[in-house]
Amino acid sequence: MVVQRSPRVEDRFHKVGNRVLTVLGRQEWLDRPSYRFENVLSFAFNAFGGARNRVTNALNGVWLGHPVHPPLASLTSGALGTTVALDALSVLPGRPKSELLDASRFAQRALGLGILANLASAVTGVTDWQHTHEQDRRIGAVHGVLNLIATGLYVQSWRDRRRGRHLRGIAISAIGYGITTGSGFLGGALVFGSGIGIDQSGQRLRLDDWTPVLPAAALPSGKKPKRIDVDGVGVVLCRDGDTVSAVGGYCPHLAAPMEDGWLDRGHLVCPWHGSQFDTQTGEVVRGPASAPLPCYQARLRNGMIELRDGAPQPTGSGRHTYVAVDALEASDSVGEEVAQ
């Protein structure tokens, strides 16, 4: 006979967690200070001048393909968890004094690493947070404040240990770790509940063969991007002369509808937060998006726009396109890839 465990305890934790998130999400008074802080961040980033995009892209994780904050947060948690474990070992009775000293010394080093990782995590986290809104912004603000308080406690603990006040340092870092754990719950809710930092570009199109999807006359050159649905997957088409590009329908950052965006020197700009994507490769040119936009092969043929699955082949310059001209003016080879 299989005995099932009562879900009452789990249900209680789940309800308490949801209640906490609901209460925090309703704290509208947090909006004014959070938006003022966002303005300060904007001024700080603008102070980098021409290097602004490089700095923000690095913090957003464009180079990594996903946000930098989660791995740094994991490093922080690991270092601080190690500190707490070694602290517990250092106060166990009946252990040789040499082992207790070693545990205490390594705990201090792990704490120092945790402080540095926490500071780096805060910088990358606040860069991601500034593009959130409403409930997510409020929960993220509390998450950040809790981490700031915990970091202050860790710094004080590290100073106490340096001055020989080990028991006091252990107690302070334990309190800080408890705060970090609660803050981590809020961060997890933002990631897994609201999709902050998760690629939200949606389904990918699967077309093995060139497939006509739209008359070329329906997409004039230089006009607003146009969204179509192909096999239930949203695709946004852009046209510049005889060059057609096809990308995913939603921004990977927070699923903004890319048909509401606009073209800027070969880049498709997200209408919500200004992320920019290369229309020919889908690569991120400017964050806050970190994951590339899905990109498909596209061409003009016989007065129709045709699509095919598969990312374009990179060239030495990292850019490519498809030559696309009217079939009445070209041979059957028109539409194949040509490197610029």
Side-chain angles (χ1 to χ4, degrees), residues 190-211:
L190 291 174
V191 174
F192 299 107
S194 300
I196 305 298
I198 295 177
D199 185 346
Q200 298 194 43
S201 56
Q203 288 182 294
R204 268 51 172 178
L205 185 63
R206 297 289 182 261
L207 292 174
D208 294 331
D209 300 318
W210 287 108
T211 303

Side-chain angles (χ1 to χ4, degrees), residues 154-176:
Y154 295 138
V155 171
Q156 182 60 47
S157 173
W158 187 82
R159 293 177 61 186
D160 285 337
R161 293 166 193 257
R162 293 275 294 180
R163 295 172 180 175
R165 304 170 183 171
H166 295 289
L167 291 180
R168 178 177 171 178
I170 289 173
I172 291 177
S173 60
I175 295 172

Side-chain angles (χ1 to χ4, degrees), residues 77-154:
S77 298
L80 296 175
T82 300
T83 300
V84 173
L86 290 174
D87 282 342
L89 181 62
S90 68
V91 296
L92 286 178
R95 307 290 297 181
K97 186 176 181 179
S98 59
E99 291 186 8
L100 299 181
L101 290 175
D102 287 341
S104 179
R105 183 170 62 253
F106 284 115
Q108 183 174 336
R109 293 177 180 176
L111 178 60
L113 175 61
I115 292 172
L116 294 177
N118 211 12
L119 293 174
S121 178
V123 173
T124 56
V126 78
T127 307
D128 296 337
W129 166 85
Q130 69 174 327
H131 300 290
T132 58
H133 303 282
E134 298 180 342
Q135 289 88 351
D136 292 337
R137 172 174 285 260
R138 297 160 194 160
I139 293 173
V142 176
H143 168 72
V145 169
L146 289 177
N147 277 340
L148 185 63
I149 294 173
T151 302
L153 292 174
Y154 295 138

